[in-house]
Amino acid sequence: MSLLCLVPTALRASRVTRRLFEAQEGVLFGRPATTFDALAAGLVAASGDRRPILGPVGERLLAAEAGRAAGGRLGALSPADGLAASLHAALGELRRGEVAAADVLAAARTLDGAARARLTSLGTALGAWERVLEERGLLDRAGALRAAADAARRRVTVPETADVSLLLLDGFAALGPAEWELFGALAARAGAVRVHLPHLSDLPAATAAAEPLARRLESLHELAAARSFELHLDGAGDPSRAPHVAALLTAMAGGEARPPPGEASVRAICASGEGAEARAVAAVAAEWIERGMPPDEIRVISPSPAGDAARLSRAFAEAGIPLAVGRGTPLAAVPVVRLLRDALGAAGGASRRAAERLGSSAYLSLGDPVERLPALLERAGALDGRAGPVEALRRGAGALGAGGGRERAGLGRAADRLERLRALLAPLDEPATARRHAARLAAFVDSAGIRRRAGRAEPALAARDLAALGRVLDAAEEVARAQAHLGRGGDTLSRAEWLSALDTALGAASLPPAEEPFGGAVELLGLEDAPGETARGAILVGCSRARFPAPAPPEPLLREPERQALCAHLRRQAVATSASRRAEGRHRALCAAGVGREALAVAWRAEDGPLAPLVEQGLAAAGVAPPDGPAPEPAGRPRSPREALRAAARWSRAGGSSDPADALDERLRSAFARGRIEAERRAAIDRREPAGHAGVAPPADLAPCLPAEWTPTQLEEYARCPYRLFLSLGVGLPRREAAGVDIDLRDEGSLLHAALERFVGERVARGAWPPTGGDADREEALAVAREIFAGFERAGRTGDPAVWRARRRAVEARLLRWVEAEARDADGCVPRLLEHRFGGDSGRPPLRFGEGSAVVAVQGRIDRVDADGRRLLVIDYKNSRASKDRRALLDPEAFGVTSFQIPVYLAAAARELPGREALGATLALLRDAERLEPFTGDATELAAGPLGPALERSILGVVEQARAGRFPIVSRDCDHCDWGAVCRAQGVAEVEEGED
């Protein structure tokens, strides 16, 4: 039997094809599932019609040209403008509804004021669009569908339409005039026709968006009499649907329903952030799978699947559940594409920021690399608006005296590098035709060594970058073809005009979807894919009032008065009005809720606002009470006297009666404890007996103080000074306090960690990593930081307000430098773990070393882990500058001796992200805005050495000494020690030196 299935989207067509492939045990002939647009292109070509079909880029260029012809506010459009996109959408909707320019102008005359002016401009632009199509012999999307319908009526066939035994129309709520004609022509030739219409037949008023199509299908009496014709209308009371799901769907559709008895198969989840929402969704899917529901019978439906795909993929990967997202990376987000775009933008003169990014890029072959190029530009005084970066470097080198030979050489090498870059970019700035611009871009890719250097990366990265380069060059050729089709192939374009057209092509392009599991995987869908879909379980994401149902996009050109006037003039529903668009959004929301037959979960984020009333109404009918909000985080006890004082002050300002005497008493007790330590030490020395503050503590007394799970910091502290660890564990003395007016360094580090976690997490979640370092990224980082700052300020953790105002600007500048450094140092890896905790109450097991009674459990928190398919890189944030001690932490010789954080974090990261061949670690120094040279190694070799037996022996040795009570005052380093008042190590050393 030959099957032809028509579906609304290309993603739906690919998944239907995959399901048919698996159902037929790997045997599939032709393309059984397709869209109207894909089918139209084949039918037009088979009919002998030689008119080219404009693609999305060509239509966008034509829309900009039509806008310029209309004049007014549309007269200065460029293809990349947002208004050009709105004009393209409006003209496309008019063409799909087969509305002529004359009708638009006639309808405009029935209006007054601004509405009349807008509709007149739109009618003029539509007239220019029609003239170009007619004069150039072109077809747009609507014209191709109409030509395909005419060809199908003339019995023109393509392989998909030849001898169709069953024609299936699935997932459509409405069809345009040309689509209806094409469907009718195909149905008249098919052996049997089946239509699966997402329409609640028992509650037709709720699915008004599908009602016109349902009536048209029911009126095909002649077709039904000639051949097998089946129209399947879904219903809320379908017997295959669980009672609680049916009750929810009925209530959402406006019907009356009572909570059915029994355990509810519907649940509501309120999360406190994007990451928390994704983890909650993955947890629900894991629970259903444990109960016996196959993963491929679960659908996750999101109003913005492209933005949610990254974080959902990460959460499902952490839960060990395969997820098929079906979407490739946007082309504009690939690092090598951003580099090319920066290069094209800098061809007319590189700014300092562009010079830093391009001059430091590993993608460009510009001779020997120059270390610390940003610092050299800074010292040379390179400022935008004064002199170019090359001239500033030359001037700085010439101004150095006789003793500046080394720096002069560095400035000269940097100037030479940027000079070569300028020579490579110079041809790209000259005006030329679109075809010539595309050829120059291809020549630049080769002459700058971009293709060669991209191919030297790891296989996965090389494949991604080479594919992206190919897509960019294809986009440039597509712009040239579109210009030729529009009769502008010989026009000379400036670099800015050509870049505008290229940006249009790049914005609509993406890489092919990466290889991902399909059979046996949970599937991610958008609301547009939900109609007609069915599964055993469905999870709706983003069910807040602002996102569900998805709001209609703003319409700057074709607003509601103009839409009403057009429909009234034509006496038909030519374009969608606000009522019909609301009905369409409600219909998609109902279809999404109806996907799950047996189980349904709805999730939303508290920061997005309250739960959507439509969903809340359904939950009430299902007997499910939505939570008031996310579970609050437990409030911890004050960590220090300073924090206790501030908590008391906040409580007092809020109107409570508070006495800070407890906190002051704590300080007094601390002073007494320090005195007792010194008295105990002196008595032990006089008696010549071991004691805790004299090197050895009784194990029985110390056992309750030792941690059940050790941290890498505690292990490193014992390695630096055992007595320092003893004081922090066995005595409980407060650490060194801040000066009082400035922010505590630990609080400053926590503030930066929180801001970096939020900024990185949000960008990774929407597929915008790494940052470009541009103004938009800087503004986003500042917005995140200010929100974090506000929370710390309310908690009293920023010191004196007068001092904090100045300190805050320094912290913001540090964060901005870090954003620029991330853009500069991007290496293709993507953050996969942020503030990742293991052990403790994290829900993830600790690392365990040893066996039996000697086993040692280690917990910790990794600031960040970047990874790709082959390698991972642990990044530990340090709110400090580079130093000899910092660099020593990355020395493999120090692993298990003085450095425990790096090897432990590497072992934990390798456990969470298995299968990577290369492991690495580095320190991100926030004050310097740079990373130290990373430690890297082969995963197998590291597991057999520094991260395996050697690390285990070191950790077991340290803990064995601690359990035995051995805490001598033997310090490797006394810098930044909080316990100087009760330590006499330096004094003893001085006495011994004098005696010698």
Side-chain angles (χ1 to χ4, degrees), residues 706-715 838-841 844-860 900 904 908 911 951-952 955-956 958-960 963:
L706 294 180
E709 295 181 2
W710 290 71
T711 67
T713 301
Q714 292 168 338
L715 297 172
F838 56 94
D841 59 355
R844 297 178 178 85
L847 294 180
R848 298 188 184 278
F849 301 90
E851 297 178 353
S853 60
V855 68
V856 176
V858 178
Q859 63 168 304
F900 285 88
V904 168
R911 183 184 68 177
L951 179 62
E952 183 175 39
I955 292 176
L956 292 177
V958 168
V959 176
E960 181 182 3
R963 289 172 176 173

Side-chain angles (χ1 to χ4, degrees), residues 692 695-707 710 718 722 725-731 959-967:
V696 178
D701 297 341
L702 189 62
C705 302
L706 294 180
W710 290 71
Y718 188 95
L725 178 63
F726 171 78
L727 290 173
S728 63
L729 291 179
V731 179
V959 176
E960 181 182 3
Q961 295 289 322
R963 289 172 176 173
R966 299 187 181 94
F967 293 93

Side-chain angles (χ1 to χ4, degrees), residues 92-114:
E93 186 175 359
L94 292 172
R95 292 282 296 168
R96 183 175 184 268
E98 298 190 347
V99 180
D103 294 324
V104 176
L105 294 174
R109 288 192 288 270
T110 65
L111 297 171
D112 296 316

Side-chain angles (χ1 to χ4, degrees), residues 32-368:
T34 186
T35 62
F36 277 110
D37 290 337
L39 190 61
L43 285 171
V44 170
S47 68
D49 192 333
R50 294 296 177 259
R51 289 179 293 176
I53 300 176
L54 284 178
V57 175
E59 288 194 0
R60 188 72 168 269
L61 296 178
L62 178 55
E65 183 177 332
R68 290 191 292 269
R73 62 182 298 203
L74 303 179
L77 283 184
S78 67
D81 290 342
L83 190 59
S86 298
L87 177 60
H88 178 210
L91 293 176
E93 186 175 359
L94 292 172
R95 292 282 296 168
R96 183 175 184 268
E98 298 190 347
V99 180
D103 294 324
V104 176
L105 294 174
R109 288 192 288 270
T110 65
L111 297 171
D112 296 316
R116 179 171 185 166
R118 285 194 300 268
L119 196 55
T120 300
S121 295
L122 195 58
T124 305
L126 181 58
W129 179 292
E130 292 173 346
R131 284 194 301 274
V132 172
L133 293 180
E134 181 67 26
E135 293 170 359
R136 300 297 304 171
L138 300 172
L139 291 173
D140 60 358
R141 177 179 179 270
L145 284 171
R146 173 54 62 185
D150 296 339
R153 280 197 303 269
R154 299 196 311 269
R155 298 282 178 172
V156 174
T157 61
V158 292
E160 292 89 342
T161 63
D163 299 325
V164 176
S165 303
L166 174 62
L167 176 63
L168 175 61
L169 186 72
D170 186 24
F172 289 92
L175 293 178
E179 292 171 334
W180 174 257
E181 295 292 336
L182 180 54
F183 167 71
L186 296 175
R189 296 160 51 188
V193 179
R194 177 184 173 89
V195 179
H196 184 198
L197 184 64
H199 180 276
L200 298 179
S201 54
D202 45 356
L203 295 166
T207 49
E211 188 68 17
L213 182 57
R215 296 292 170 259
R216 295 181 78 176
L217 291 168
E218 289 174 347
S219 66
L220 296 176
H221 305 297
E222 183 178 351
L223 180 63
R227 56 188 39 80
S228 173
F229 181 83
E230 183 178 353
L231 175 61
H232 177 70
L233 302 178
D234 201 356
D238 193 317
S240 66
R241 189 167 280 128
H244 290 85
V245 178
L248 177 139
L249 193 58
T250 300
M252 288 180 65
E256 296 183 1
R258 295 181 178 180
E263 182 181 359
S265 57
V266 176
R267 66 173 63 185
I269 305 164
C270 182
S272 59
E274 295 175 341
E277 182 187 44
R279 289 189 292 272
V281 168
V284 170
E287 180 182 337
W288 288 351
I289 292 170
E290 289 177 1
R291 293 182 180 180
M293 187 180 296
D296 56 1
E297 283 289 341
I298 300 175
R299 304 287 186 269
V300 179
I301 305 170
S302 167
S304 55
D308 293 336
R311 56 178 163 268
L312 286 171
S313 297
R314 183 169 59 250
F316 273 75
E318 291 177 356
I321 303 172
L323 177 70
V325 299
R327 292 165 175 83
T329 304
L331 193 59
V334 181
V336 69
V337 178
R338 291 204 304 270
L339 169 80
L340 276 179
R341 184 57 184 82
D342 289 343
L344 291 171
S351 64
R352 173 180 164 177
R353 188 173 301 164
E356 289 180 5
R357 289 199 300 267
L358 296 172
S360 303
S361 175
Y363 282 111
L364 294 173
S365 179
L366 300 173
D368 294 334

Side-chain angles (χ1 to χ4, degrees), residues 546-821:
R547 300 181 66 196
F548 194 89
E555 293 288 347
L557 298 176
L558 190 57
R559 302 183 185 180
E560 184 61 18
E562 296 94 283
R563 292 175 179 272
Q564 295 283 0
L566 273 173
C567 294
H569 173 73
L570 295 171
R571 297 183 180 180
R572 62 182 175 89
Q573 190 75 28
V575 293
T577 60
S578 60
S580 60
R581 290 199 289 175
R582 286 195 302 270
E584 182 182 357
R586 180 183 177 91
H587 176 254
R588 288 183 174 179
L590 290 174
C591 289
V595 169
R597 301 188 306 273
E598 300 177 10
L600 178 68
V602 296
W604 75 100
R605 300 191 292 267
E607 59 267 27
D608 287 345
L611 179 64
L614 191 67
V615 180
E616 190 172 9
Q617 180 180 339
L619 291 175
V624 177
D628 296 331
E633 297 181 358
R637 297 178 59 186
R639 300 172 302 168
S640 66
R642 176 180 57 84
E643 194 170 297
L645 284 171
R646 288 178 175 172
R650 290 194 305 272
W651 180 257
S652 178
R653 286 196 299 268
S657 59
S658 177
D659 185 2
D662 289 342
L664 297 178
D665 288 346
E666 181 63 28
R667 290 185 175 183
L668 187 60
R669 285 193 294 271
S670 172
F672 286 155
R674 296 171 191 269
R676 284 194 301 271
I677 289 173
E678 184 60 23
E680 179 183 338
R681 187 201 338 268
R682 289 184 178 181
I685 292 174
D686 291 342
R687 295 192 305 267
R688 296 183 179 278
E689 295 178 354
H693 298 285
V696 178
D701 297 341
L702 189 62
C705 302
L706 294 180
E709 295 181 2
W710 290 71
T711 67
T713 301
Q714 292 168 338
L715 297 172
E716 287 186 355
E717 197 156 281
Y718 188 95
R720 284 195 298 268
C721 178
Y723 183 58
R724 189 188 304 187
L725 178 63
F726 171 78
L727 290 173
S728 63
L729 291 179
V731 179
L733 289 178
R735 292 181 176 271
R736 179 191 302 162
E737 298 175 0
V741 295
D742 204 353
I743 183 174
D744 187 271
L745 289 178
R746 288 183 289 269
D747 284 334
E748 184 180 279
S750 299
L751 186 151
L752 283 168
H753 274 65
L756 295 179
E757 179 189 8
R758 175 82 63 82
F759 177 78
V760 175
E762 290 179 354
R763 291 191 67 90
V764 171
R766 66 173 187 266
W769 190 262
T772 63
D775 292 339
D777 294 345
R778 294 160 61 88
E779 289 299 325
E780 181 181 357
L782 287 178
V784 169
R786 287 162 184 161
E787 185 177 347
I788 300 295
F789 291 169
F792 274 65
E793 290 166 0
R794 288 192 297 269
R797 298 176 60 185
T798 54
D800 185 87
V803 178
W804 168 241
R805 281 195 290 270
R807 182 71 168 179
R808 173 174 176 156
R809 288 194 292 271
V811 176
E812 289 177 348
R814 192 177 307 167
L815 183 62
L816 293 180
R817 290 198 303 272
W818 175 87
V819 171
E820 295 174 359

Side-chain angles (χ1 to χ4, degrees), residues 674 713 716-717 720-721 723-725 727-728 734-737 744-746 878-886 889 927 971-981 983 986:
R674 296 171 191 269
T713 301
E716 287 186 355
E717 197 156 281
R720 284 195 298 268
C721 178
Y723 183 58
R724 189 188 304 187
L725 178 63
L727 290 173
S728 63
R735 292 181 176 271
R736 179 191 302 162
E737 298 175 0
D744 187 271
L745 289 178
R746 288 183 289 269
K878 298 296 183 185
N879 188 26
S880 62
R881 297 188 181 276
S883 66
K884 179 180 178 182
D885 295 335
R886 292 297 188 198
L889 294 176
R927 290 176 183 258
S971 176
R972 294 175 183 265
D973 177 15
C974 291
D975 292 341
H976 309 295
C977 180
D978 294 320
W979 320 111
C983 178
Q986 292 179 347

